[in-house]
């Protein structure tokens, strides 16, 4: 039986809510069938009040052993490094994080805010928010670049805004069933099993991408084409399994016609949402995408594009997702 | 003002933590202070950004109501950019808003509210064992099934919006998707599955149509006794249990209500404007105060920061709203105690007053006379508050009643989608303008005010339902709705004041609440506990 403590800092609870939509295992399965001991959670916990505070104190003192700390939300450091923008159980939350992270066998940052600061850390970052072990793409964050949990692991980052429920439930089951050694991390501390592939991997628009055929508009325009060329889709540059492990067991944003916003990468929201950047592909000379698929450069991209357009069959210029 | 709580923190506070302080005298709460204790500054982040930034940022205010945030932020931009909206887009937005709420109803009820019903304080009730069997967290028969089935409605959201939570698929001029035939038929099948397995089999014990025949509280009382299936359903049991343990006796609140309304008739809101909004609504907007009904007018909203951790003490309309946080350590010396702003509404003849928002507010407003043929008229809860008065039980029943109504509407809207027609009309991206968008999140009225200048956001203010309900005292010292509702609560065991949890949770605020109970005479703190408040 693994003990899990779940806390929220500068959070919207989106990762918790996403977690509750899990199936196979569901939240109930995790607890009843997998014997997970959720020693406290802001919305699912049973212990109240003084009992809750006692749990936190016992974890800090080591009386209550803690296998997994799940942290959701940014670490709020303002104003002026006091942490008073986010008080919790009588203290700035950042102090709890500092005290509890050192007692956990494994620390999991769940969602962009906990991984790298996320939405609250968007310019001008009014609350001085940061992630547990990264600030945006820079290693460090609140706990510092050298932090290791008791098991000797850095913070395990499960990004996304929110993270898909399976990404967290499967990692929890892996950690709780003694497979921590199988959780290989990439340079951003993300489990490779989920984040090696691209958001584009498995996208139903992939054939349109191959033949460089663009979607022409939102709505009925998305019955055809790829969203990369005009609508700012970041699918080819973003690492996630959104089109391998579908959302709510049904679909994904790109399948439904919404451009990927790159929410599993530290730069999300990209360009700090500057005017002209939302749902619009940024271009060089008005034609070539400023960012090309990972591993390409502008020259090879253009050569490939030219050949692809020549090769494009008629069906790639017609609607595919029809009534 | 500000937008609310969100202000600065509005967002922050939305999901943040709430401390509640109460004074107890002779076993009864005599005063209360609600203190939101987290600030994220989303309104500050939005300034100077792309006009469409709100579509990405505001859902992240609240992971529970992200779809509702998207819905109203899209309409705020539709108004500012003067877009044209095809009927299909209105229908899909309506469906998405509805299924998010249909998800929230059972999830909130079982995971957050009903677990308090098994508190040991009720162990003497003859119904206690049955309550434990059904509602005990993680193992209760209804808890397990209800929590898992609550995920079904948002599968429909994912079909149209790609994922839930946190899609941004509603854009000015319509929606990003263009569903296929199978998208619609599968959505219909999922909705029917959820209706059959949870709504009818577990919750009601009867058909949706039978439940919706109830037009008065007396009808509901008779419905419980009508047959064994209804008597023993979760709904029938809940009503009997509430009456047995007294949840129909307290948690009244301010007794004045606000609904900003939601869901538009696809033929009547093809060109979204502030002026045309009320008439186009299906779930109506309105105010019920001092026993009278009034029309909702957004210009009568103010946000007061007298007791909130923001600079100044001026009440402002959100178009002129500010979000300038101050260090709570400084604010406390100025008698400020919460990150929530205090939204107030000028009711003709009553001045600026606090108003309760949420399902009960919506249902009371639904009882107002004068509904158009496309609008909801439903007298059940206006009758209920005039016969048995508002209470924790009534607030819950209003929420659960909407499951049946919204199911029926969502099904109708799915049937009205014309797959051969348009889902989006590309708008002209105006450099300047003002917009107002609003909806009803599961937990109440949710509004955005946006000001665009030079092709970017000059001001963005959000007022959440949580701000309306849990906001602190205003400049006149008048308590917010939840503070008012806490007053009068009987506290059986001051070391485990579950009654405060019931009241606080009956508002379904998106907060984690820490409740401190004080002895009114000695001033000593009696206990402290955390109220789970999300979703």
């Amino acid at each position: 039986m693994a003990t899990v403590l779940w806390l929220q800092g500068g959070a919207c609870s989106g990762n918790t809510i996403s977690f509750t939509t899990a199936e196979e295992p569901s939240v109930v399965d995790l607890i009843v069938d997998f014997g997970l001991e959720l020693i406290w959670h802001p919305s699912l916990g049973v212990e109240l009040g003084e009992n809750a505070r006692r749990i936190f104190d016992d974890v800090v003192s080591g009386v209550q052993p803690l296998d997994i700390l799940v942290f959701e939300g940014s670490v709020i450091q303002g104003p002026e490094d006091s942490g008073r923008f986010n008080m919790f159980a009588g203290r700035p939350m950042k102090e709890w994080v500092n005290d509890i992270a050192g007692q956990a066998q494994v620390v999991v940052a769940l969602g962009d805010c906990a991984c790298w600061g996320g939405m609250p850390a968007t310019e001008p970052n009014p609350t001085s928010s940061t992630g547990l072990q990264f600030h945006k793409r820079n290693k460090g964050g609140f706990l510092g670049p050298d932090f290791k949990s008791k098991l000797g692991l850095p913070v395990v980052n499960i990004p996304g805004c929110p993270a898909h429920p399976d990404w967290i439930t499967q990692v929890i089951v892996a950690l709780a069933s003694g497979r921590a050694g199988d959780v290989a991390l990439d340079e951003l501390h993300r489990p490779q099993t989920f984040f090696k592939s691209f958001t584009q991997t498995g996208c139903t628009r992939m054939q349109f991408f191959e033949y460089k055929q663009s979607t022409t508009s939102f709505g009925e325009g998305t019955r055809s084409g790829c969203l990369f060329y005009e609508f700012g889709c970041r699918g080819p540059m973003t690492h996630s399994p959104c089109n391998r492990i579908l959302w709510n067991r049904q679909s994904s944003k790109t399948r439904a016609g919404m451009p990927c916003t790159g929410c599993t990468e530290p730069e999300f929201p990209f360009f700090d949402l500057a005017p002209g950047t939302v749902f619009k592909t940024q271009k060089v000379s008005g034609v070539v995408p400023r960012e090309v698929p990972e591993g390409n450069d502008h020259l090879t991209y253009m050569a490939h594009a030219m050949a692809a357009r020549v090769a494009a069959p008629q069906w790639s210029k017609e609607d595919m997702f029809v009534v | 003002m500000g937008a609310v709580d969100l202000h600065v923190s509005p967002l922050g506070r939305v999901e943040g933590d709430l401390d509640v302080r109460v004074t107890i005298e002779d076993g009864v709460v005599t005063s209360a202070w609600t203190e939101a204790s987290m600030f994220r500054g989303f309104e500050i982040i939005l300034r100077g950004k792309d006009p469409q930034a709100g579509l990405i940022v505001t859902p992240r205010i609240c992971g529970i109501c992200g779809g509702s945030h998207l819905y109203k932020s899209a309409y705020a931009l539709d108004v500012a950019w003067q877009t044209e909206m095809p009927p299909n887009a209105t229908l899909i937005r309506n469906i998405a808003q509805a299924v998010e709420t249909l998800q929230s109803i059972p999830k909130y009820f079982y995971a957050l509210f009903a677990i308090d019903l098994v508190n040991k304080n009720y162990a003497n009730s003859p119904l206690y064992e049955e309550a434990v069997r059904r509602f005990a967290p993680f193992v209760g028969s209804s808890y397990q099934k209800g929590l898992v089935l609550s995920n079904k409605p948002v599968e429909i959201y994912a079909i149209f919006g790609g994922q839930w939570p946190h899609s941004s698929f509603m854009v000015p001029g319509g929606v990003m998707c263009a569903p296929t035939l199978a998208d619609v038929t599968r959505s219909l099948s999922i909705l029917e599955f959820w209706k059959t397995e949870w709504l009818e089999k577990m919750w009601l014990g009867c058909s949706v149509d039978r439940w919706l025949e109830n037009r008065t509280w007396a009808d509901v009382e008779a419905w419980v006794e009508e047959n064994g299936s209804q008597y023993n359903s979760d709904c029938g049991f809940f009503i009997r249990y509430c009456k047995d343990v007294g949840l129909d006796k307290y948690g009244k609140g301010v007794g004045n209500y606000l609904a900003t309304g939601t869901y538009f008739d696809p033929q009547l809101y093809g060109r979204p404007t502030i002026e045309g909004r009320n008439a186009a609504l299906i779930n109506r907007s309105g105010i019920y105060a001092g026993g009278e009904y009034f029309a909702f007018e957004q210009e009568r909203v103010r946000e007061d920061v007298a007791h909130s951790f923001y600079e100044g003490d001026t009440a402002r309309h959100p178009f002129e709203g500010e979000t300038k946080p101050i260090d709570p350590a400084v604010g406390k010396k100025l008698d400020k105690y919460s990150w929530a702003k205090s939204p107030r509404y000028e009711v003709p003849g009553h001045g600026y007053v606090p108003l309760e928002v949420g399902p009960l507010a919506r249902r009371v407003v639904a009882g107002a006379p004068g509904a158009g043929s496309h609008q909801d008229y439903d007298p059940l809860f206006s009758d209920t508050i005039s016969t048995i008065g508002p209470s924790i039980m009534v607030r819950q029943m209003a929420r659960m009643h909407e499951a049946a109504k919204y199911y029926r509407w969502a099904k109708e809207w799915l049937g009205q989608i014309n797959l051969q027609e348009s889902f989006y009309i590309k708008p002209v991206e105006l450099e300047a303008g003002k917009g107002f968008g609003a909806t009803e999140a599961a937990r109440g009225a949710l509004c955005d005010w946006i000001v665009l200048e030079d092709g970017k956001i000059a001001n963005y203010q959000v007022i959440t339902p949580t701000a309306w309900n849990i906001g602190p005292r205003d400049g006149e010292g008048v308590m917010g709705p939840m503070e008012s509702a806490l007053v009068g609560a009987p506290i059986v065991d001051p070391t485990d004041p579950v009654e405060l949890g019931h009241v606080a949770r009956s508002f379904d605020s998106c907060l984690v609440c820490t409740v401190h109970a004080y002895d009114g005479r000695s001033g000593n703190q009696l206990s402290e506990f955390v109220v789970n408040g999300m979703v």
Side-chain angles (χ1 to χ4, degrees), chain B residues 461-472:
Chain B
Q461 295 283 312
V462 184
I463 299 188
T464 61
T466 300
W468 281 105
N469 286 335
I470 66 107

Side-chain angles (χ1 to χ4, degrees), chain A residues 78-129:
Chain A
E80 290 169 12
D81 215 32
S82 69
R84 282 193 292 265
F85 279 145
N86 182 18
M87 298 294 289
F88 179 74
R91 304 168 73 194
M93 176 54 94
K94 68 171 191 157
E95 294 181 8
W96 285 113
V97 173
N98 191 63
D99 292 350
I100 291 173
Q103 296 292 348
Q105 295 294 328
V106 182
V107 177
V108 176
L110 183 59
D112 284 355
C113 299
C115 291
W116 14 77
M119 193 65 78
T122 302
E123 189 274 330
N125 193 359
T127 55
S128 302
S129 276

Side-chain angles (χ1 to χ4, degrees), chain A residues 12 49-50 84 123 220 276, chain B residues 15 49-50 63 327 422 528-529:
Chain A
C12 71
E50 287 178 0
R84 282 193 292 265
E123 189 274 330
E220 53 275 23
Chain B
E15 236 83 65
K49 302 295 164 67
D50 188 283
D327 188 331
S422 179
E528 180 178 0
F529 71 83

Side-chain angles (χ1 to χ4, degrees), chain B residues 9 43 143 161 186 201 274 298 330 381 426 434 496:
Chain B
S9 35
E43 291 162 330
Y143 180 102
R186 196 182 329 144
K201 274 191 196 165
I274 295 176
Q298 62 81 26
V330 175
F381 284 87
K426 188 174 169 53
K434 282 186 174 185
D496 186 12

Side-chain angles (χ1 to χ4, degrees), chain B residues 48-202:
Chain B
K49 302 295 164 67
D50 188 283
Q52 297 188 93
L55 305 174
I56 293 177
V57 174
T58 70
R60 271 82 184 189
I61 288 170
C62 172
I64 301 157
C65 306
S68 306
H69 277 279
L70 175 63
Y71 184 95
K72 53 71 176 138
S73 68
Y75 276 111
L77 261 186
D78 282 315
V79 169
W81 278 355
Q82 303 169 31
T83 64
E84 186 178 354
M85 185 87 56
N88 276 338
T90 305
L91 290 167
I92 289 192
R93 288 184 182 188
N94 285 353
I95 292 163
Q97 171 68 77
V99 296
E100 175 172 277
T101 300
L102 292 178
Q103 170 268 160
S104 183
I105 291 169
K107 191 169 286 178
Y108 157 82
F109 182 82
Y110 295 109
L112 296 178
F113 181 81
I115 60 178
D116 283 339
L117 301 177
V118 304
N119 188 283
K120 61 175 170 30
N121 279 13
Y122 305 130
N124 291 331
S125 164
L127 302 177
Y128 183 73
E129 275 181 33
E130 178 63 16
V132 171
R133 197 184 65 73
R134 292 179 193 233
F135 302 138
F138 301 114
V139 295
S141 56
S142 296
Y143 180 102
Q144 286 194 344
K145 221 174 158 196
L147 187 61
V148 174
L149 285 171
S150 74
N151 296 324
K152 286 292 160 191
V154 286
E155 291 185 2
I156 298 168
Y157 200 106
I159 287 171
F160 295 114
Q163 70 177 63
W164 187 92
H166 289 352
S167 176
S168 298
F169 83 107
M170 302 177 198
V171 280
V175 291
M176 288 173 168
C177 65
T180 64
L181 175 61
D183 289 336
V184 173
T185 53
R186 196 182 329 144
S187 297
L188 200 55
S189 306
I190 292 168
L191 188 66
E192 289 299 293
F193 174 81
W194 175 86
K195 183 263 290 188
T196 304
E197 295 301 313
W198 179 71
L199 184 54
E200 292 189 341
K201 274 191 196 165
M202 284 181 65

Side-chain angles (χ1 to χ4, degrees), chain A:
Chain A
M1 177 177 290
T3 53
V4 177
L5 173 62
W6 188 312
L7 296 176
Q8 292 175 342
C12 71
S13 292
N15 291 289
T16 283
I17 296 303
S18 184
F19 175 66
T20 66
T21 66
E23 290 186 12
E24 293 163 348
S26 70
V27 178
V28 170
D29 297 335
L30 274 177
I31 287 163
V32 177
D33 298 342
F34 285 85
L36 203 74
E37 191 188 344
L38 195 55
I39 61 177
W40 197 77
H41 183 290
S43 59
L44 298 170
V46 179
E47 279 83 2
L48 302 173
E50 287 178 0
N51 290 338
R53 168 81 187 239
R54 196 170 303 128
I55 289 170
F56 311 146
D57 287 339
D58 287 350
V59 170
V60 171
S61 68
V63 169
Q64 163 70 58
L66 178 61
D67 294 314
I68 304 170
L69 168 66
V70 176
F71 192 72
E72 172 181 4
S74 64
V75 180
I76 290 179
Q77 303 177 104
E80 290 169 12
D81 215 32
S82 69
R84 282 193 292 265
F85 279 145
N86 182 18
M87 298 294 289
F88 179 74
R91 304 168 73 194
M93 176 54 94
K94 68 171 191 157
E95 294 181 8
W96 285 113
V97 173
N98 191 63
D99 292 350
I100 291 173
Q103 296 292 348
Q105 295 294 328
V106 182
V107 177
V108 176
L110 183 59
D112 284 355
C113 299
C115 291
W116 14 77
M119 193 65 78
T122 302
E123 189 274 330
N125 193 359
T127 55
S128 302
S129 276
T130 192
L132 283 181
Q133 204 168 15
F134 282 82
H135 184 79
K136 297 296 177 178
R137 195 169 283 270
N138 301 319
K139 202 164 172 178
F142 177 68
L143 294 172
D146 302 323
F147 173 84
K148 293 260 196 310
S149 61
K150 280 195 158 174
L151 206 58
L153 296 173
V155 173
V156 176
N157 285 331
I158 303 180
C161 194
H164 187 292
D166 281 20
W167 309 344
I168 177 67
T169 58
Q170 305 306 341
V171 167
I172 287 179
V173 171
L175 294 173
S177 59
R179 287 190 172 273
D182 286 340
V183 182
L185 304 179
D186 67 12
E187 73 283 3
L188 291 170
H189 297 185
R190 300 176 295 196
Q192 291 190 31
T193 186
F194 294 126
F195 296 97
K196 174 76 174 172
S197 61
F198 295 94
T199 303
Q200 195 176 27
T201 310
C203 179
T204 52
R205 299 176 187 279
M206 193 65 203
Q207 286 170 302
F208 294 108
F209 176 78
E210 286 300 336
Y211 290 117
K212 305 300 168 204
Q213 299 300 313
S214 179
T215 295
T216 53
S217 78
F218 289 133
E220 53 275 23
T222 62
R223 293 197 188 281
S224 176
C226 171
L227 300 159
F228 169 74
Y229 305 102
E230 297 295 333
F231 298 98
C233 183
R234 303 196 62 84
M237 294 87 76
T238 300
H239 294 273
S240 90
C242 288
N243 279 298
R244 289 197 291 140
I245 302 173
L246 296 182
W247 283 83
N248 311 92
R249 297 160 291 281
Q250 297 296 333
S251 193
S252 73
K253 291 202 290 295
T254 59
R255 290 183 181 203
M258 180 179 159
C260 166
T261 52
C263 79
T264 52
E265 301 292 337
E267 291 80 7
F268 175 81
F270 278 80
F271 314 113
D272 280 329
L273 302 163
T277 63
V278 174
F279 304 136
K280 293 184 177 75
T281 301
Q282 305 299 296
K283 294 181 185 174
V284 179
S285 314
V287 188
V288 186
R290 185 169 124 191
E291 289 174 86
V292 293
E294 190 171 309
N296 277 190
D297 56 41
H298 282 117
L299 215 57
T300 52
Y301 174 83
M302 284 191 293
H304 177 213
M306 203 173 300
R309 282 196 202 95
V310 171
Q314 181 56 35
W315 59 256
S316 71
K317 302 170 195 295
E318 296 170 358
D319 284 358
M320 183 179 283
F321 311 112
V322 297
V323 177

